[in-house]
Amino acid sequence: MKKLIIASTSTIHGGNYLEYLLPTLEIHFKDCREILFIPYARPSGISHEGYTENVRAAFAKINKTVKGLHEFTNPIEAIQKAEGIFTGGGNTFLLVTQLYQNNVMNVLAQTVANGTPYLGSSAGSNITGLTMQTTNDMPIIYPPSFTTLGLIPFNLNPHYLDPDLQSKHMGETRETRIKEFHAFNSTPVLGLREGSWLEVTGEQIILKGNLSARLFRQNETPEELEPETDLAFLGK
């Protein structure tokens, strides 16, 4: 049975890394002693080490140890044997590229689908959808495919921002960009606001947090979904 926490962000204003999610994560990873962290959304080398140290410090607060995927010589085996998995934020183009280059995209999807608890934030949440095409990130590298894990039956736009009616900025809003996506694609898109997350248990996909999320569907008026809504209907 799938067990995922899919968060818009790792850090909310005024808080520390993962702080707002720790009570939820303590329950989510209750049967895990060690969390496998995937740091691929950041450049390799020293960035992987530093990123993993930040994650290690956060999970220590709920008595979990952390090991980075980059520390293993066999990343496929590491994912298959993981007790729990966390993929952090950064650049989704880089994350997807490195998952494919290390031949772990499919094994990650299969492992999480089979019940290994998963946490994603930002880019790590983007990849739980059908494709990464609704990310906010710059295309700093060219991935082999835009196809991602497909663990939920729609796409995400983490860090979703509503138009600021007082702003003098005349560039595209998030809503405009998602509508552009729907000019060519029929996949539903959920705009997930900061401090919100999805809790996936089996086929249930429950919106959590204190804010509504904005659902975009091709040729339909955007819809506000309140917390505790089950989004499983999007897969039917």
Side-chain angles (χ1 to χ4, degrees), residues 170-185:
M170 299 303 293
E172 298 92 341
T173 64
R174 296 283 171 82
E175 183 165 334
T176 298
R177 289 179 173 174
I178 294 170
K179 286 180 177 178
E180 290 172 346
F181 169 79
H182 278 146
F184 300 96
N185 303 273

Side-chain angles (χ1 to χ4, degrees), residues 41-116:
R42 300 278 174 85
S44 60
I46 192 168
S47 292
H48 284 178
E49 292 293 340
Y51 199 2
T52 303
E53 283 302 319
N54 288 340
V55 172
R56 192 170 282 131
F59 273 98
K61 297 174 183 176
I62 54 171
N63 300 312
K64 308 294 179 187
T65 60
V66 172
K67 198 161 185 180
L69 185 56
H70 63 288
E71 300 174 46
F72 292 85
T73 56
N74 188 334
I76 292 175
E77 184 180 56
I79 287 173
Q80 291 172 330
K81 292 184 174 181
E83 297 177 15
I85 299 170
F86 170 36
T87 306
N91 186 281
T92 309
F93 288 88
L94 180 58
L95 171 60
V96 171
T97 298
Q98 294 199 71
L99 288 172
Y100 276 112
Q101 286 177 345
N102 287 281
N103 298 312
V104 294
M105 181 69 82
N106 290 336
V107 72
L108 179 59
Q110 293 164 3
T111 300
V112 177
N114 288 339
T116 299

Side-chain angles (χ1 to χ4, degrees), residues 139-152:
I140 62 172
I141 194 169
Y142 190 23
S145 173
F146 290 150
T147 301
T148 46
L149 300 176
L151 293 165
I152 53 176

Side-chain angles (χ1 to χ4, degrees), residues 146-164:
F146 290 150
T147 301
T148 46
L149 300 176
L151 293 165
I152 53 176
F154 50 91
N155 276 6
L156 288 173
N157 180 247
H159 313 293
Y160 180 77
L161 292 172
D162 295 292
D164 181 357

